[in-house]
């Protein structure tokens, strides 16, 4: 199991996990190398929006790897209350 993260985790990783500290954006060639070196056949990633995940998703598709996409949480519901003025 390989965990690539931008910041080191607070606790220890489970036994057998490898840690790679890296911050994107990542290139297609770099992602291809990572998938090949580690034999990645399943990608778990968060939906960061935009093009941030484009390279790894493309390479996962090329490698016929399964993809688990973690959705972004829904934005909080904001309730506002504004006092109204009475018209005279």
């Amino acid at each position: 199991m390989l965990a690539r993260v931008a910041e080191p985790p607070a606790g220890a990783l489970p036994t057998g996990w490898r840690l790679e500290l890296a911050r994107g954006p990542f290139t297609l060639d770099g992602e291809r190398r990572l998938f090949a070196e580690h034999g990645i056949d399943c990608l778990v990633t968060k939906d960061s929006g935009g093009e941030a995940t484009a390279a790894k998703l493309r390479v996962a598709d090329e490698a016929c790897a399964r993809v688990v996409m973690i959705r972004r949480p829904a934005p909080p519901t904001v309730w506002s209350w504004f006092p109204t003025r009475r018209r005279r």
Side-chain angles (χ1 to χ4, degrees):
M1 184 73 65
L2 173 69
R4 180 173 67 187
V5 296
E7 301 292 330
L13 292 176
T15 303
W17 282 44
R18 293 172 292 196
L19 180 67
E20 179 168 316
L21 293 174
R23 187 176 304 276
F26 301 104
T27 65
L28 279 172
D29 287 340
E31 295 294 61
R32 286 181 181 123
R33 191 170 29 260
L34 186 77
F35 271 67
E37 286 176 10
H38 296 280
I40 295 171
D41 60 1
C42 181
L43 170 68
V44 179
T45 186
K46 67 177 189 242
D47 181 5
S48 7
E51 294 296 311
T53 57
K56 65 182 153 191
L57 291 175
R58 180 167 170 191
V59 173
D61 184 54
E62 292 172 2
C64 297
R66 293 178 184 214
V67 175
V68 177
M69 180 74 70
I70 308 299
R71 287 188 188 146
R72 300 174 121 191
T77 302
V78 178
W79 293 93
S80 299
W81 181 81
F82 298 99
T84 56
R85 288 180 162 186
R86 287 191 175 170
R87 292 190 174 209
R88 295 181 197 189

